[in-house]
């Protein structure tokens, strides 16, 4: 709660909660330590006037970018002054809440060097990156190619006479396009290009390339770069300098090729190192688990705003002059909002599991154990796709749940949507990623005949004979509260959809043609598998020993809401595959309504458990104290349009028009 709050208009809602909110904060954050660090960093940011953001949507692009540079520099200054740990620094940057070059520097540039650079290269480049003596970005995507990395056109041709690579952009479509931080801030980039030596193309490799002078920040010779222009929304991702970059035969030393996995010798020979290429998957898993974690943060912010405002807003329902009904008490509002609340928790917990998966995969890769690599790839790709798409849709739904006021920039929701929605396309287009998941599902099924048993989240596919013929044992609405019944229904649905796709592909002239023709069905099968993963991990979380009065019960309710909402939303899948009967589908919907009634008195406290300050939420509708209407009124007067009573342009345009109309009316 912010210290400035005087009257808590949501006090009655909070007192109705049937669980320990402080314990739920720990369950959400993962530990008491994480709660304390987050709380400390959030308040540090909120109390610093440099990190003000309430005027962000009113700034011009130039002013917004300069503001981003100022905040990034000030954040680094505070990190150094306070000697913050890596964990604390990460939390501080999170709560600054303004996309900028530092996101790509820490999130992509540094991990790329760690994952693909040799020990010698890491010793050279990482200390400079850690101290911000250089600023890096990740230059992979081009104007003509994004998801199809193998189609990139930038070339890196080795010249044995000078022991250099020549980096070149041979076509307009080979221009690097979109890398964050590239447009104006970065001094260096990891550039991905086609390695050519001895006349042979060896495919895509990474190279560290200096782009700008470390003295005056001007572009180096034969390098053209700039910003690609304004993007969707006010404020939002326009604080990021997404860039364009072209090379005209730019020379770099040979040792600036990232050489952990492969090298080019002084003589120009291409040589594979002893390090297995599978290690690259570790970096990919790391980046995608971060994206899933970000999905839960963005979704929980939107849900927090919508729940609090719905508990304040009243419309209709007045009897004999009595009070109107809170919008949150309407069943239609609950049926749209509470599944999103449950989804926020579901994505949080599956994101926590992905962090474990990243550490597990890393350890196994170092031990040259690749047994879980395929499954890890399917999980990270699929979860990135499903959580980002669901979150983008949910933020927009929360805006609509807040009625007309949700359309105001001061609600925080338009900017939150605009800043989040690119997650659906960056780091892999969601449709492309789901088709990758589908390929792995098809491969896993084909290997069953040879006796190879699937592992991890795909282990259920080994139970194919039972799941293809099992009947759902649900007879009453309450039976849907049994996690065994839920999990079996989701497993049967996912497996039967995958088997159906495999059978249809098998009837095609060849496998690739069948995959192409059945790609819409394969997408749905991939989504079904990933939704099973999310439900399974939520169930696992609930089955753990969770301290705090009422906390486990509330998480169980949210887990059931999420599962039964997905079942209701995709009822056609469950019915078409024969996993459940129409009667059982109706019972699931009946139980869902009962669960909403149980969530209702706890809703405000459940979003309080996210522990977000008013500064981080950035919403007059989502204020902790619920004092919405005075805040809305006050915020309106801050708009630059209200700086003058008579608008600029009145004498040039309005007055002549009005005088002309007045003259005509006298005729």
């Amino acid at each position: 709660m912010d210290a400035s709050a005087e009257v808590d208009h949501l006090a009655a809602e909070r007192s109705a909660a049937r669980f320990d909110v402080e314990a739920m904060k720990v369950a959400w954050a993962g530990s008491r330590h994480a709660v304390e660090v987050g709380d400390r960093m959030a308040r540090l940011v909120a109390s610093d006037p440099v990190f003000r953001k309430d005027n962000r949507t009113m700034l011009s692009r130039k002013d917004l970018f300069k503001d981003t540079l100022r905040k990034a520099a000030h954040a680094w200054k505070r990190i150094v002054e306070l000697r913050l740990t890596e964990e604390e620094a990460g939390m501080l940057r999170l709560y600054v809440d303004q996309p900028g070059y530092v996101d790509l520097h820490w999130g992509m540039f540094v991990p790329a060097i760690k994952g693909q650079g040799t020990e010698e290269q890491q010793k050279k480049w990482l200390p400079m990156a850690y101290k911000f003596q250089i600023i890096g970005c990740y230059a992979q995507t081009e104007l003509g190619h994004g998801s199809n990395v193998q189609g990139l056109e930038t070339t890196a041709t080795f010249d044995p006479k000078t022991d250099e690579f020549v980096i070149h952009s041979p076509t307009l479509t080979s221009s690097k396009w979109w890398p964050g931080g590239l447009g104006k801030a970065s001094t260096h980039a990891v550039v991905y290009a086609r390695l050519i030596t001895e006349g042979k193309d060896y495919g895509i490799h990474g190279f560290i390339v200096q782009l700008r002078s470390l003295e005056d920040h001007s572009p180096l010779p034969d390098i053209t770069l700039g910003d690609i222009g304004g993007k969707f929304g006010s404020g939002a991702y326009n604080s990021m300098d997404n860039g364009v970059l072209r090379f005209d035969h730019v020379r770099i030393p040979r040792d600036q090729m990232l050489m952990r996995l492969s090298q080019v010798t002084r003589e120009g020979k291409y040589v594979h190192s002893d390090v297995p290429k599978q290690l690259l998957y570790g970096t990919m898993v790391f980046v995608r688990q971060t994206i899933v974690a970000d999905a839960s943060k963005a979704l929980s912010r939107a849900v927090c705003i919508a729940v609090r405002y719905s508990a304040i807003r009243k419309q209709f329902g007045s009897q004999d002059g009595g009070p109107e009904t809170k919008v949150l008490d309407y069943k239609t509002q609950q049926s749209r909002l509470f599944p999103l609340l449950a989804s926020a928790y579901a994505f949080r917990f599956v994101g926590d599991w992905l962090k474990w998966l990243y550490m597990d995969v890393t350890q196994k890769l170092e031990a040259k154990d690749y047994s879980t690599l395929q499954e890890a790839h399917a999980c990270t790709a699929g979860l990135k796709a499903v959580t980002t798409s669901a979150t983008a849709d949910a933020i927009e739904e929360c805006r609509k749940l807040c009625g007309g006021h949700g359309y105001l920039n001061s609600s925080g929701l338009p900017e939150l949507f605009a800043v989040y929605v690119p997650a659906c396309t960056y780091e892999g287009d969601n449709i492309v990623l789901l088709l990758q998941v589908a390929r792995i599902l098809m491969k896993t099924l084909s290997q069953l005949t040879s006796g190879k048993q699937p592992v991890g989240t795909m282990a259920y596919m080994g139970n194919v004979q039972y799941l293809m013929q099992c009947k759902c044992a649900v007879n009453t609405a309450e039976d849907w509260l049994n996690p065994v019944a839920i999990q079996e229904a989701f497993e049967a649905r996912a497996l039967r959809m995958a088997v159906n796709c495999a059978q249809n592909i098998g009837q095609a002239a060849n496998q690739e043609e069948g995959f192409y023709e059945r790609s819409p069905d394969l997408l749905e099968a991939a989504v079904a598998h990933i939704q099973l993963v999310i439900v399974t991990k939520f169930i696992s979380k609930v089955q753990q020993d969770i301290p705090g009065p009422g906390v486990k019960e509330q998480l169980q309710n949210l887990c059931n809401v999420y599962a039964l909402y997905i079942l209701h939303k995709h009822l056609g899948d469950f019915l078409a595959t024969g996993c459940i009967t129409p009667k059982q589908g109706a019972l699931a919907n009946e139980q869902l309504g009962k669960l909403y009634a149980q969530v209702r008195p706890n809703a405000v406290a459940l979003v309080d458990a996210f522990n977000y300050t008013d500064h981080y939420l950035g919403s007059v509708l989502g204020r902790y104290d619920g004092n919405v209407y005075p805040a809305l009124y006050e915020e309106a007067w801050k708009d630059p349009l209200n700086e003058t009573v008579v608008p600029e342009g009145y004498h040039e345009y309005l007055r002549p028009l009005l005088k002309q109309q007045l003259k005509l009316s006298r005729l």
Side-chain angles (χ1 to χ4, degrees):
M1 178 177 177
D2 285 2
S4 60
E6 296 178 0
V7 178
D8 184 1
H9 295 268
L10 289 167
E13 289 283 341
R14 294 186 169 104
S15 64
R18 300 166 187 168
F19 67 95
D20 184 339
V21 177
E22 293 303 313
M24 186 66 83
K25 288 180 182 179
V26 174
W28 171 264
S31 68
R32 172 59 60 187
H33 169 75
V35 173
E36 292 171 351
V37 171
D39 195 52
R40 193 164 63 250
M41 293 301 103
R43 293 178 187 280
L44 178 65
V45 170
S47 63
D48 193 325
V50 174
F51 296 129
R52 175 191 176 190
K53 63 178 186 177
D54 60 309
N55 64 337
R56 190 162 57 194
T57 58
M58 304 175 199
L59 297 177
S60 68
R61 180 85 199 285
K62 281 187 175 181
D63 288 341
L64 178 63
F65 183 67
K66 187 174 180 179
D67 181 63
T68 305
L69 296 182
R70 182 171 70 119
K71 286 175 177 172
H74 187 64
W76 181 245
K77 177 172 177 282
R78 298 299 286 148
I79 288 168
V80 173
E81 287 174 347
L82 298 173
R83 298 182 180 180
L84 299 183
T85 65
E86 187 175 339
E87 178 190 19
E88 290 170 331
M91 292 299 289
L92 184 141
R93 286 192 290 268
L94 167 70
Y95 287 119
V96 169
D97 187 39
Q98 191 152 312
Y101 68 88
V102 293
D103 302 342
L104 283 302
H105 178 84
W106 293 114
M108 297 296 290
F109 181 72
V110 168
I113 295 173
K114 279 184 175 180
Q116 299 166 45
T118 62
E119 284 189 25
E120 185 179 346
Q121 288 175 319
Q122 291 182 45
K123 287 178 181 177
K124 176 181 178 179
W125 295 102
L126 290 179
M128 291 188 287
Y130 287 151
K131 296 175 184 176
F132 271 124
Q133 293 171 334
I134 61 174
I135 297 170
C137 65
Y138 187 86
Q140 177 174 293
T141 299
E142 295 178 354
L143 186 59
H145 290 87
S147 297
N148 181 16
V149 177
Q150 298 309 312
L152 296 179
E153 299 175 82
T154 303
T155 57
T157 306
F158 182 65
D159 182 353
K161 296 177 183 177
T162 60
D163 196 25
E164 294 173 316
F165 281 103
V166 181
I167 312 296
H168 184 57
S169 306
T171 63
L172 178 66
T173 50
S174 70
S175 306
K176 295 300 178 183
W177 190 273
W178 274 114
L182 170 64
K184 296 295 177 182
S186 293
T187 62
H188 290 69
V190 172
V191 175
Y192 288 87
R194 313 194 73 82
L195 191 159
I196 300 172
T197 184
E198 298 184 321
K200 184 176 179 181
D201 185 336
Y202 285 90
I204 307 303
H205 292 70
F207 302 83
I208 299 175
V209 183
Q210 183 173 345
L211 306 175
R212 292 181 169 96
S213 164
L214 294 178
E215 295 302 319
D216 63 7
H217 209 62
S218 59
L220 295 185
D222 302 317
I223 290 177
T224 302
L225 73 172
D227 188 272
I228 61 172
K231 299 171 286 284
F232 180 57
S234 301
Y237 221 78
N238 287 295
S239 57
M240 180 71 80
D241 54 326
N242 297 94
V244 54
L245 168 65
R246 289 182 58 76
F247 299 100
D248 185 2
H249 299 92
V250 173
R251 291 178 173 269
I252 63 169
R254 176 173 56 89
D255 65 5
Q256 286 181 212
M257 168 189 171
L258 291 174
M259 294 188 178
R260 187 181 184 191
L261 302 180
S262 56
Q263 303 173 9
V264 171
T265 67
R266 176 65 184 84
E267 296 74 30
K269 298 293 182 184
Y270 182 84
V271 181
H272 286 289
S273 71
D274 295 332
V275 178
K277 65 179 182 179
Q278 287 92 339
L279 278 176
L280 287 177
Y281 279 93
T283 303
M284 180 193 67
V285 173
F286 170 77
V287 171
R288 288 181 179 161
Q289 66 91 12
T290 302
I291 292 174
V292 174
D294 289 344
S296 74
K297 293 185 185 81
L299 176 51
S300 57
R301 287 174 71 178
V303 167
C304 185
I305 293 166
V307 166
R308 286 177 177 171
Y309 179 61
S310 296
I312 290 294
R313 182 73 166 178
K314 296 178 181 178
Q315 291 290 293
F316 306 112
S318 174
Q319 299 292 331
D320 302 322
E324 292 181 285
T325 302
K326 291 180 179 180
V327 171
L328 194 56
D329 287 330
Y330 286 106
K331 297 298 182 182
T332 49
Q333 192 82 349
Q334 293 174 16
S335 66
R336 294 165 64 196
L337 182 51
F338 291 168
L340 307 185
L341 172 59
S343 297
Y345 276 89
F347 294 173
R348 176 73 186 200
F349 297 142
V350 80
D352 289 343
W353 171 76
L354 267 188
K355 291 178 184 176
W356 171 85
L357 182 68
Y358 167 66
M359 292 185 288
D360 182 64
V361 166
T362 302
Q363 291 172 358
K364 287 180 177 175
L365 287 175
E366 290 173 352
K368 297 186 178 180
D369 176 0
Y370 312 131
S371 60
T372 61
L373 204 54
Q374 181 172 270
E375 187 245 347
H377 174 55
C379 277
T380 54
L383 284 169
K384 185 273 178 184
V386 168
T387 60
T388 55
S389 292
T391 295
D393 291 344
I395 295 170
E396 170 61 6
E397 184 69 3
C398 285
R399 182 192 67 77
K400 291 185 282 190
L401 283 161
C402 290
H405 295 335
Y407 193 64
L408 285 167
N409 278 333
S410 60
S411 77
L413 292 166
E415 188 182 20
L416 180 59
F417 177 75
V419 82
Y420 186 76
V421 76
C424 296
T425 43
Y426 65 55
E427 285 308 302
D429 176 85
N430 286 353
I431 300 301
V432 173
L433 292 179
L434 286 171
L435 288 174
Q436 290 177 11
V437 175
R439 282 194 183 276
I440 294 172
L441 292 174
M442 296 302 100
K443 183 178 179 181
T444 303
L445 280 176
S446 68
Q447 291 174 336
L448 289 177
T449 55
S450 63
K452 184 175 180 180
Q453 288 300 303
V455 297
T457 56
M458 292 188 173
Y460 73 97
M461 300 183 84
N463 198 18
V464 60
Q465 289 185 331
Y466 173 75
L467 291 174
M468 286 301 292
Q469 52 80 36
C470 66
K471 301 293 183 184
C472 179
V474 167
N475 294 307
T476 67
E478 286 69 29
D479 287 345
W480 277 118
L481 300 178
N482 182 351
V484 175
I486 290 174
Q487 184 144 347
E488 185 175 285
F490 273 80
E491 286 179 352
R493 169 217 183 195
L495 183 70
R496 294 179 193 187
M497 291 177 72
V499 168
N500 184 54
C501 287
Q503 290 172 342
N504 288 328
I505 290 173
Q507 295 172 5
N510 60 70
Q511 190 170 357
E512 279 306 306
E513 181 183 323
F515 195 92
Y516 173 78
E517 289 296 331
R518 292 293 171 178
S519 54
D521 296 335
L522 287 160
L523 282 177
E524 293 179 4
V527 169
H529 170 71
I530 296 301
Q531 287 172 341
L532 165 62
V533 172
I534 298 171
V535 168
T536 300
K537 298 309 170 187
F538 207 160
I539 289 173
S540 297
K541 175 69 177 182
V542 171
Q543 290 175 341
Q544 295 173 11
D545 182 22
I546 304 173
V551 172
K552 187 166 186 170
E553 179 187 349
Q554 295 308 317
L555 291 180
Q556 181 70 68
N557 286 341
L558 291 174
C559 179
N560 289 331
V561 166
Y562 179 77
L564 296 184
Y565 166 73
I566 295 297
L567 189 152
H568 174 68
K569 184 178 179 182
H570 296 273
L571 187 58
D573 290 348
F574 289 89
L575 294 177
T577 53
C579 299
I580 65 173
T581 65
K583 173 64 175 176
Q584 289 167 332
L587 290 173
N589 200 37
E590 178 186 333
Q591 185 57 50
L592 197 52
K594 294 177 181 178
L595 286 166
Y596 294 154
Q598 294 176 44
V599 171
R600 169 61 189 94
N602 302 285
V604 169
L606 284 167
V607 299
D608 285 349
F610 302 148
N611 205 27
Y612 295 149
T613 61
D614 284 349
H615 178 275
Y616 181 60
L617 274 184
S619 170
V620 295
L621 302 185
R623 292 169 58 102
Y624 183 91
D625 64 8
N627 198 24
V628 169
Y629 296 120
L632 273 169
Y633 186 80
E634 181 182 339
E635 202 66 28
W637 294 105
K638 295 178 183 178
D639 193 283
L641 204 58
N642 286 322
E643 289 176 358
T644 59
V645 177
V646 176
E648 294 180 15
Y650 165 75
H651 290 286
E652 295 94 329
Y653 308 111
L654 278 180
R655 181 179 171 83
L657 181 66
L658 290 167
K659 290 299 181 182
Q660 181 184 19
Q661 288 177 334
L662 182 64
K663 187 175 181 180
L664 289 172
S665 68
R666 287 176 178 170
L667 294 174

